[in-house]
Amino acid sequence: MKFFISVIFFPLFFVAHSRTYIVKDIHSFGAKGDGKTDDQAAFKMASEFFNNRGGNGKLIISKGIYMIGKQVFTGGQLNKPVYLGEDVLHFTNIKNLSIEGATGSILKYKNGFRLGAFSPETGKEYEHGNTIFLNAAYAAIIGDCILIENSFNIQVSGVTMDGNSDNLILGGSYGDVGRQMPHYGIFISNSKNVQIDKAYIHHFGLDGICVANKETNSPDSISITNSTFEYNSRQGLSWIGGNYLYVKNCKFNHTGKGKFNSAPGAGVDIEAETGSISNGTFENCEYIDNIGCGLVAGTGNSSNCTFSGCTFWGTTNWSIWVTRPNYSFHNCNIYGSIVHGYSSLSTNNATKFYNCLFEDKLYNGNPPYGDFLVVTNEVKRMGFTGCTFISGIKKLCWFTSSVKSAEEKYQLTNCSFIINNNNLPAGDFAAIIRGAALKNCTFTFTDPDAKKKRYYLGGYGEESNVDLGGNKVIFP
């Protein structure tokens, strides 16, 4: 929920004093951090203190377990949700503030908060039977742990946030699917120069972190580094608006693998809602074992995102789902299946993979999701350069396109395809490749009986493909 703070004019001497940098410990606002005391009021006081002075300081969260969150039963009166939550740290219109967690500092939501649809009359779970339900009087909202809006130069570091979703009381579905209501670890709205570092955010009822900036002409300069987002119910990261987001050494794993989940259930969902999205850089990140896609960029106006040195491991869904322009992947390990790609009118905007490894590697002894390492149909100019494809259980790839010109076809250059399968029925295909331009690609069957079993590459060598030279198929 969004709260508004009244503007109060102070004497000039007080304004001058408020601009001095100040360091405050959360204990100075009355927090105990003993794992038993309700510390919500202390965090609210800390927010109000820094909001009133416009920031310019540091809030230290000392070692301890701080029990947080507040939710009030309203009965749906005065157009309020049936259960109204309260943000823990809500900062608005401030500059130059650091929130610094000491080693061993944990912000943990108390047991028994409600999320979903509940009856205003009885306060009990409400099952409406509708596909989409948006009656606000029935909404049970928890609120966000840290909300940063209309602010500049904010740092959050070393903080652990436990949404405690396993101990929520769930109502009926609310929103378009699942339970779509605020319970974020961090929510960033229309703020610039925000740095999140060494955060551990887990088990929230919605997303670990959401970036929701509107479109502007200047860079947002938001960075998320060295942080872990796991077991959150809808997303590890939702990026729904803004530009110049830098993410490095982060983990977006096990989304939706807690008590409940809401779609999309992705590690990272890039879906423009508050404004267009552009210029995202992701380095050395993980997207593993999410109930939805590891990465999904399927709707909204997003473009120009780069992923380098990342690991995608889809266990119950696609590893990567991209249909937006100018997404590229460099030196990534991709286990499981990727799907789609952007059908581009130009090479610059095409989906491209460079020096990536595609393999159906087991996860905890179980095969990853999908029947092929790559599944894509009728996508123009999608490119794979210097990539290695290794199949052992699943099939290699499914490329099909009916375009005529070589430049519009799938571009497979300097790639190595290794077929370790010995599980295919006799006379079965190991891959489907139609509508591709191939150069210096090698297909290697390793099963000694592969030729005897009549394994083959479906479509390879047909006139729908363009042979640019240097291609070969190797049998033992």
Side-chain angles (χ1 to χ4, degrees):
M1 299 295 292
K2 305 294 186 289
F3 298 91
F4 297 92
I5 297 173
S6 299
V7 177
I8 301 174
F9 294 95
F10 294 93
L12 288 178
F13 72 88
F14 184 85
V15 173
H17 173 72
S18 71
R19 290 174 181 169
T20 61
Y21 190 86
I22 189 168
V23 178
K24 300 284 284 187
D25 192 290
I26 192 63
H27 286 268
S28 68
F29 298 99
K32 301 297 184 184
D34 57 11
K36 297 179 292 184
T37 302
D38 185 345
D39 286 324
Q40 173 67 17
F43 282 86
K44 183 177 181 181
M45 288 177 62
S47 300
E48 292 173 345
F49 174 83
F50 284 105
N51 284 332
N52 287 336
R53 71 190 314 274
N56 203 26
K58 178 189 290 188
L59 173 63
I60 295 174
I61 302 174
S62 299
K63 180 180 180 179
I65 300 176
Y66 300 88
M67 305 307 296
I68 56 170
K70 181 179 179 180
Q71 195 176 56
V72 176
F73 177 68
T74 70
Q77 301 299 311
L78 301 176
N79 297 318
K80 292 182 179 180
V82 57
Y83 287 97
L84 180 61
E86 181 177 277
D87 300 328
V88 178
L89 288 171
H90 185 144
F91 299 109
T92 184
N93 297 312
I94 64 171
K95 296 181 179 179
N96 308 323
L97 176 69
S98 296
I99 302 100
E100 184 178 294
T103 301
S105 63
I106 300 172
L107 280 63
K108 183 176 182 179
Y109 277 79
K110 294 168 286 185
N111 293 344
F113 289 128
R114 289 162 173 79
L115 186 71
F118 289 81
S119 169
E121 289 78 21
T122 66
K124 295 182 179 180
E125 176 185 352
Y126 182 72
E127 290 294 351
H128 45 77
N130 297 319
T131 304
I132 299 176
F133 185 75
L134 295 168
N135 190 329
Y138 289 76
I141 294 173
I142 298 173
D144 306 330
C145 193
I146 299 179
L147 193 155
I148 302 164
E149 62 179 353
N150 303 319
S151 295
F152 178 81
N153 194 29
I154 311 297
Q155 293 86 41
V156 179
S157 64
V159 178
T160 293
M161 296 173 236
D162 181 357
N164 198 14
S165 60
D166 286 348
N167 290 298
L168 296 179
I169 298 172
L170 299 179
S173 63
Y174 189 91
D176 56 348
V177 62
R179 297 169 182 85
Q180 307 273 348
M181 47 227 329
H183 190 215
Y184 299 92
I186 298 176
F187 191 94
I188 300 169
S189 173
N190 301 321
S191 298
K192 294 180 181 292
N193 196 23
V194 178
Q195 293 87 43
I196 311 298
D197 185 53
K198 297 183 178 67
Y200 178 36
I201 302 177
H202 62 99
H203 287 94
F204 275 80
L206 206 63
D207 304 341
I209 185 169
C210 180
V211 179
N213 281 358
K214 293 181 180 178
E215 186 173 356
T216 64
N217 293 325
S218 61
D220 292 344
S221 300
I222 294 176
S223 68
I224 308 170
T225 55
N226 308 307
S227 297
T228 296
F229 306 85
E230 61 181 9
Y231 295 101
N232 299 294
S233 299
R234 188 180 69 168
Q235 253 84 257
L237 162 65
S238 286
W239 188 14
I240 63 174
N243 61 44
Y244 289 95
L245 173 66
Y246 177 68
V247 184
K248 184 176 181 179
N249 297 333
C250 290
K251 299 178 180 181
F252 305 97
N253 301 337
H254 314 302
T255 301
K257 295 298 180 78
K259 180 178 180 178
F260 67 98
N261 67 84
S262 297
V268 172
D269 179 24
I270 302 177
E271 181 179 350
E273 295 178 0
T274 61
S276 65
I277 291 173
S278 63
N279 297 303
T281 301
F282 297 77
E283 297 180 359
N284 301 320
C285 294
E286 291 182 1
Y287 315 76
I288 297 175
D289 186 39
N290 298 288
I291 201 165
C293 300
L295 164 70
V296 60
T299 59
N301 182 15
S302 72
S303 64
N304 193 28
C305 291
T306 302
F307 300 80
S308 301
C310 296
T311 297
F312 302 85
W313 207 331
T315 57
T316 54
N317 214 312
W318 306 102
S319 295
I320 299 171
W321 172 310
V322 167
T323 60
R324 302 294 92 190
N326 199 9
Y327 276 66
S328 63
F329 301 82
H330 307 255
N331 302 296
C332 294
N333 294 325
I334 303 163
Y335 307 120
S337 297
I338 73 168
V339 70
H340 301 315
Y342 178 66
S343 191
S344 180
L345 298 177
S346 69
T347 301
N348 288 340
N349 284 330
T351 307
K352 294 181 282 290
F353 295 84
Y354 300 95
N355 303 311
C356 292
L357 169 66
F358 298 83
E359 185 177 4
D360 53 1
K361 188 175 179 180
L362 299 180
Y363 180 81
N364 289 338
N366 297 311
Y369 180 81
D371 296 325
F372 297 83
L373 301 181
V374 179
V375 180
T376 173
N377 291 291
E378 300 296 340
V379 172
K380 294 179 181 179
R381 297 179 171 84
M382 188 175 185
F384 299 82
T385 302
C387 294
T388 299
F389 301 78
I390 303 175
S391 66
I393 304 170
K394 305 179 184 302
K395 295 184 177 181
L396 273 177
C397 52
W398 182 287
F399 294 106
T400 62
S401 175
S402 58
V403 298
K404 301 299 183 183
S405 67
E407 66 173 17
E408 290 181 302
K409 296 178 183 291
Y410 294 100
Q411 305 294 310
L412 308 178
T413 306
N414 300 325
C415 291
S416 176
F417 297 83
I418 301 171
I419 303 104
N420 290 328
N421 302 69
N422 58 15
N423 61 327
L424 303 177
D428 200 3
F429 65 90
I432 293 291
I433 303 175
R434 295 189 176 100
L438 299 96
K439 182 177 182 180
N440 296 329
C441 291
T442 301
F443 298 86
T444 303
F445 291 85
T446 63
D447 180 3
D449 296 323
K451 203 165 188 177
K452 180 180 178 181
K453 294 176 180 177
R454 295 178 288 115
Y455 292 165
Y456 68 98
L457 303 174
Y460 180 75
E462 294 182 358
E463 61 181 32
S464 64
N465 293 319
V466 175
D467 188 339
L468 298 176
N471 303 302
K472 55 186 175 180
V473 179
I474 300 173
F475 285 94

